[in-house]
Amino acid sequence: MSATAAPTVLTARALLLDMDGTLVNSDAVVERIWRRWAERHGLDGDAVMKVVHGRQGHASMALLLPDRPMEHNHADNARLLAEETADVAGVVPVPGAPEFLRSLRGLPHALVTSADVPLSTARMAAAGLELPDVRVTAESVGASKPDPEGFLKGAAELGVAPGECVVFEDSAAGIQAGRAAGMRVVGVGERAGAHGPDVLVRDLRQVRVEDAGGGWLRVCVG
């Protein structure tokens, strides 16, 4: 993977942060649970894994089992969420995430995740990461990423115009959501590189955030 070759500086009034794959590496548990789900439904595990990152579970199921009633997807998703919340083996911070979050203390930022409150709380705790004060979770929105609703809600809760936000994301669905919200996107990790973020980093060790004064943040990437 090639990351940003030279330092890039973005200015913003707020940062909107995805969780899985961006702050927290939960790939091990996601693989375990979704591959078991794929096997139960006679689906190819590799094909399923290409769909599930960044989306709420019921939205992934709707794509993978298009003929199944949505009420079945919601019920199935509730079971998977309980499994994922209980299973935090192998959940670790993305390199640089602890320092990155500490640098945001007192600065406008929000977590915007497709996980629900119990799952996001469990995974952030397992990774030893601070939970932002402002959180937009699965319970907060009516539509999953790649719909921009979550990011737009995060911007609104922070009182910042969408175009003045920078999103940090790793998945195709999340990057699409950020772009649809009219925001610039920093892609984090190898998965992000194929989906056209504005800037790409290997991990959060390549990001520094500074208070630029006047309500602005300076995001140095690379």
Side-chain angles (χ1 to χ4, degrees):
M1 181 190 72
S2 61
T4 307
T8 298
V9 177
L10 305 174
T11 55
R13 291 194 180 273
L15 306 183
L16 302 178
L17 316 174
D18 174 52
M19 182 182 72
D20 291 301
T22 301
L23 299 174
V24 172
N25 182 343
S26 56
D27 283 358
V29 61
V30 172
E31 289 267 344
R32 281 196 296 274
I33 286 175
W34 278 97
R35 285 185 182 277
R36 285 202 300 265
W37 181 88
E39 188 175 355
R40 288 198 297 270
H41 292 280
L43 299 173
D44 177 72
D46 291 341
V48 167
M49 295 315 302
K50 290 177 181 177
V51 171
V52 300
H53 291 291
R55 290 183 172 85
Q56 291 186 41
H58 63 79
S60 295
M61 292 172 189
L63 292 173
L64 293 162
L65 298 172
D67 297 327
R68 190 166 76 157
M70 277 306 297
E71 58 266 27
H72 293 184
N73 294 337
H74 283 285
D76 208 0
N77 184 49
R79 289 189 289 271
L80 258 62
L81 281 171
E83 287 184 52
E84 290 186 273
T85 302
D87 183 355
V88 293
V91 173
V92 295
V94 166
E99 298 81 3
F100 175 70
L101 286 171
R102 283 197 292 271
S103 77
L104 297 185
R105 288 175 181 167
L107 302 177
H109 67 288
L111 187 72
V112 182
T113 175
S114 294
D116 63 5
V117 168
L119 180 57
S120 58
T121 302
R123 284 194 177 157
M124 291 288 281
L129 298 177
E130 301 176 14
L131 270 169
D133 291 334
V134 178
R135 298 186 287 277
V136 179
T137 60
E139 299 94 335
S140 309
V141 297
S144 171
K145 300 172 185 176
D147 191 283
E149 181 185 357
F151 287 125
L152 292 172
K153 187 160 189 173
E157 291 197 17
L158 292 169
V160 174
E164 296 176 339
C165 294
V166 168
V167 165
F168 284 74
E169 264 286 0
D170 74 299
S171 70
I175 292 168
Q176 290 168 21
R179 287 196 173 283
M183 301 172 181
R184 291 153 295 161
V185 181
V186 176
V188 180
E190 186 172 0
R191 193 157 47 227
H195 305 296
D198 294 283
V199 188
L200 177 65
V201 296
R202 287 188 302 274
D203 57 49
L204 293 171
R205 292 175 294 186
Q206 290 186 285
V207 181
R208 287 181 298 108
V209 180
E210 304 164 352
D211 187 344
W216 289 94
L217 308 177
R218 183 181 296 110
V219 183
C220 302
V221 180

